[in-house]
Amino acid sequence: MRSWLASQRGWEIEPEWIVPVYGITSALATAMRAFTGEGDGIVGLDPCYHMYWEAVELSSRRRVSSPMLFDGERYSIDWPDLEAKLAAPENKLLVFCNPHNPTGKVFSRGELERIAELAGKYGVVVFNDEIFAECVYPGVEMPTFGQLLGCSARVITAVSLGKWLSFTGTNQANLIIPDAETRERFRARRDREFYGSMNPMLRPAYRASNTTPSPASSA
C-alpha cells in the first residue's frame, strides 16, 4: 500500500494512517454515522455515483446536490453553489470522487486546493474516493489531497484494488486518514459496527500489487 501510493501517486504515507474497511460505500456509511447525525446534509457533486446517494438515504441523512457545470465538452465545479452548500451548518460531509464517477473528470491540483480550503473553512469532512486513480491516460496528473501543502481539511481518502486490478467484489478497501482525531473517531465507529478482519485472499494480492516486475518477468 505505502510503496504503491509512493510510486504511483507520489504520496508518502505513514503506516498508522491506514484503516482497513470492508468496502468504500460501506465505509462512507460508517463515516456518515461517525461525523454526522440523522437529518444532516451530505454534499455531493452531481452527476454523482448513485450508490453514494443510496448510502446517504439509507443512513437517514439528506442528499445535498451541487450540480456541476457542463459546457458541452467538460464538466466544472460551480464554486458559488458548492461554497453555499458547504457553508450551511447542517451540511457536515462532502463525498468526493477523483477521477469523478460518472463523468471521468480528473480534478486538478488547483481544484483540490480550493475544495480543501472551503472544507477547512466550514469544518466539513471530505470523504475522498480515489478508486479510479490509476485509470487515467498516460501523462495525466492525478493529484491527491494528501499532496497539498497546508491542507487543514479533515480528509478521508479511500483506495482499493477494485477497479484498476479487477478485484471488485472482494469487499475490502483501505482508508488513508492522516488526522489522528478523525482517524480514531472513524475507527471507533467502524469497530462498533463489528469489523472483523481483512479477507485473507487479499493479502497475497496486496503483496503482489506492491511488487514491481523485472523486465524479464514482464515480457
Side-chain angles (χ1 to χ4, degrees), residues 142-217:
M142 194 7 250
T144 184
F145 281 105
Q147 297 168 311
L148 303 182
L149 296 177
C151 177
S152 62
R154 292 176 293 165
V155 180
I156 299 170
T157 296
V159 297
S160 169
L161 299 179
K163 302 302 181 184
W164 180 237
L165 296 175
S166 299
F167 275 90
T168 299
T170 52
N171 295 326
Q172 202 282 326
N174 288 296
L175 303 185
I176 313 301
I177 313 178
D179 180 71
E181 181 180 354
T182 303
R183 183 171 62 249
E184 292 310 312
R185 187 168 171 180
F186 178 90
R187 194 193 301 273
R189 183 72 208 197
R190 179 205 64 175
D191 293 347
R192 285 200 300 273
E193 295 178 357
F194 190 71
Y195 175 80
S197 61
M198 179 177 171
N199 181 340
M201 299 302 292
L202 265 294
R203 294 182 184 274
Y206 270 107
R207 292 193 182 100
S209 72
N210 283 305
T211 300
T212 303
S214 65
S217 65

Side-chain angles (χ1 to χ4, degrees), residues 47-184:
C48 185
Y49 177 45
H50 70 97
M51 290 295 290
Y52 294 159
W53 289 141
E54 287 188 22
V56 169
E57 292 166 358
L58 289 172
S59 299
S60 300
R61 273 61 174 173
R62 289 186 305 102
R63 168 177 172 170
V64 180
S65 171
S66 180
M68 287 197 290
L69 305 174
F70 184 60
D71 64 5
E73 293 185 3
R74 295 179 179 85
Y75 283 90
S76 61
I77 296 173
D78 184 337
W79 292 108
D81 181 80
L82 180 61
E83 180 166 8
K85 302 291 172 57
L86 296 180
E90 66 273 15
N91 298 336
K92 306 291 180 59
L93 186 144
L94 168 67
V95 57
F96 184 76
C97 188
N98 190 29
H100 185 256
N101 183 3
T103 69
K105 175 182 172 63
V106 178
F107 293 91
S108 69
R109 187 179 298 267
E111 288 172 314
L112 297 188
E113 288 173 345
R114 190 164 181 187
I115 289 170
E117 177 187 359
L118 293 174
K121 178 179 180 180
Y122 297 112
V124 173
V125 176
V126 180
F127 187 93
N128 170 43
D129 180 355
E130 292 188 0
I131 194 172
F132 291 102
E134 285 74 36
C135 302
V136 297
Y137 289 113
V140 174
E141 181 188 19
M142 194 7 250
T144 184
F145 281 105
Q147 297 168 311
L148 303 182
L149 296 177
C151 177
S152 62
R154 292 176 293 165
V155 180
I156 299 170
T157 296
V159 297
S160 169
L161 299 179
K163 302 302 181 184
W164 180 237
L165 296 175
S166 299
F167 275 90
T168 299
T170 52
N171 295 326
Q172 202 282 326
N174 288 296
L175 303 185
I176 313 301
I177 313 178
D179 180 71
E181 181 180 354
T182 303
R183 183 171 62 249
E184 292 310 312

